[in-house]
Amino acid sequence: MDNFLVETNLGFQRNFRQEWSRYVAHDLMPPVFPEAMPFPAELEREFEKDYYSAVVKTEYKVSKKLLITSGFNTNYQKNSINGRGFIIPAFWQFNLGGYLLAKYSFSDISVFRIGGRYDFGEIQTESYFDWYAPFNQRASEKKRDFSSFSWSVGYNYTPSNWIFKLNAGKSFRMPTPQELAANGLNYHYFRYEIGDSTLLPEISWQLDAGVEFSSKRFAIGTSPFLNYFSNYIYLNPTSNIERGYQIFNYTQSRVFRYGAEVHAHYDLLKDLRLGIIGEYVYSLQLSGDKEGFTLPFSPAPSAIINLKYQKEKLG
């Protein structure tokens, strides 16, 4: 059938990572590393992940104006750990999702889109006890499953030199194993991270728009957005200290976020272009212990001015 298309994609990925450092005893660790351990003294952490994925996508051209796209994707990953250090436990994770999208073209410059998606996921983390203190449990065996329905609707209008876009929707994100079960030092950021096994999936309602004008030598555009999260997951700094490091807890709260991106360029000469890109994001916590404060690690406003010289042929 010329108006029907099916695409499939099967994948496998294996990641293996080791972090090495000289053995230094702390807390209840023995001054001399025991010889009978199943890993070498210098192996700080080891992560091994096997990842399997499958994607099926179909397109059905109902008419010149209507295109239906559907599909599903699934993946499974198994993660094991080793070494003398700990930050996240071994775990496995399974995800399955399906979607249906419809695109209707009223004309070449007027397009309407609507879609829905259902996702299901399951995570199981394994228990972990410190090798040097078997009574000290850092992670417990937990099994969580999550599911949600997401949707989006949008409209594009592109008359002459203009582009107008408007989109609204609901999105869903499962907590990661690190957000659920971390309990250790993150040496890359010099902080002690602690997860929360009771975290709920992150749900967001969003509205975004876009306006752009372009001519032969000049273009300018902006893309403002609004987001409301009923339970935004983030890393929350505390005043507590563990092993000399500040403790950060994974937590969640209601969050309102808005911002915009602005971009423009002007061709000063045939091969010389002046451009600017600016971004602004503001995030406000609406619940929790830090209600009324912005989110930690929110990006600062930024602007980049660039001058680009480009020539098709030299000489």
Side-chain angles (χ1 to χ4, degrees):
M1 296 174 61
D2 294 337
N3 58 344
F4 187 75
L5 174 68
V6 178
E7 294 181 3
T8 60
N9 189 305
L10 301 176
F12 171 74
Q13 180 178 331
R14 183 176 185 272
N15 294 326
F16 183 75
R17 172 178 170 178
Q18 292 180 321
E19 298 178 3
W20 298 84
S21 66
R22 186 185 300 273
Y23 176 74
V24 177
H26 60 78
D27 290 342
L28 301 176
M29 294 172 65
V32 179
F33 187 79
E35 295 183 358
M37 297 304 297
F39 49 85
E42 293 77 18
L43 182 59
E44 177 70 33
R45 290 172 183 165
E46 180 181 288
F47 304 94
E48 185 174 355
K49 178 174 73 173
D50 291 330
Y51 184 88
Y52 305 85
S53 64
V55 178
V56 176
K57 176 185 175 182
T58 68
E59 286 188 359
Y60 177 50
K61 193 173 183 180
V62 181
S63 66
K64 292 183 179 180
K65 293 187 176 183
L66 180 60
L67 176 66
I68 303 293
T69 304
S70 64
F72 80 90
N73 63 279
T74 183
N75 61 72
Y76 172 81
Q77 57 176 300
K78 176 71 174 179
N79 297 259
S80 60
I81 62 172
N82 203 355
R84 69 174 194 269
F86 176 82
I87 184 169
I88 60 172
F91 69 92
W92 61 260
Q93 180 173 342
F94 171 76
N95 296 286
L96 177 66
Y99 66 90
L100 181 67
L101 302 173
K103 174 185 174 183
Y104 187 83
S105 302
F106 296 99
S107 66
D108 292 340
I109 64 172
S110 179
V111 179
F112 175 76
R113 292 180 175 88
I114 187 170
R117 178 183 177 92
Y118 180 79
D119 285 281
F120 171 82
E122 195 170 53
I123 298 176
Q124 178 167 316
T125 58
E126 305 297 331
S127 60
Y128 181 88
F129 293 82
D130 282 328
W131 58 270
Y132 54 87
F135 55 83
N136 188 22
Q137 186 172 13
R138 303 281 288 278
S140 58
E141 183 176 331
K142 293 282 186 179
K143 188 175 183 180
R144 298 283 309 277
D145 60 79
F146 310 90
S147 62
S148 181
F149 176 76
S150 306
W151 58 269
S152 66
V153 59
Y155 178 70
N156 288 15
Y157 184 56
T158 56
S160 187
N161 296 335
W162 290 88
I163 298 176
F164 298 95
K165 299 179 181 179
L166 184 63
N167 300 279
K170 175 195 173 188
S171 61
F172 157 83
R173 185 181 75 85
M174 287 173 49
T176 66
Q178 184 161 347
E179 293 167 339
L180 292 170
N183 188 359
L185 292 173
N186 188 328
Y187 295 108
H188 303 285
Y189 299 101
F190 300 99
R191 64 194 182 206
Y192 196 99
E193 299 179 5
I194 299 179
D196 182 352
S197 63
T198 67
L199 290 175
L200 299 174
E202 193 175 86
I203 303 295
S204 169
W205 285 265
Q206 61 260 1
L207 178 67
D208 60 89
V211 179
E212 183 173 342
F213 172 81
S214 60
S215 63
K216 187 175 181 180
R217 298 184 61 182
F218 173 72
I220 185 170
T222 182
S223 52
F225 67 88
L226 297 172
N227 281 109
Y228 171 74
F229 296 86
S230 58
N231 40 18
Y232 185 83
I233 301 173
Y234 65 98
L235 198 55
N236 184 34
T238 73
S239 58
N240 300 322
I241 302 297
E242 176 70 28
R243 303 181 188 179
Y245 293 84
Q246 183 181 8
I247 293 178
F248 288 71
N249 290 323
Y250 283 102
T251 187
Q252 58 189 171
S253 67
R254 292 188 293 115
V255 169
F256 178 65
R257 186 171 66 175
Y258 63 86
E261 177 183 303
V262 178
H263 61 90
H265 71 257
Y266 180 74
D267 292 337
L268 300 173
L269 300 170
K270 180 182 178 181
D271 303 317
L272 188 63
R273 171 175 291 182
L274 176 66
I276 182 171
I277 299 176
E279 295 181 343
Y280 175 77
V281 178
Y282 182 79
S283 303
L284 180 66
Q285 298 183 58
L286 302 178
S287 64
D289 296 337
K290 296 182 179 179
E291 180 180 353
F293 287 84
T294 58
L295 278 174
F297 310 111
S298 294
S302 65
I304 299 175
I305 299 175
N306 60 80
L307 192 63
K308 181 180 180 180
Y309 179 78
Q310 180 174 311
K311 197 172 183 64
E312 294 182 2
K313 295 182 179 181
L314 296 177

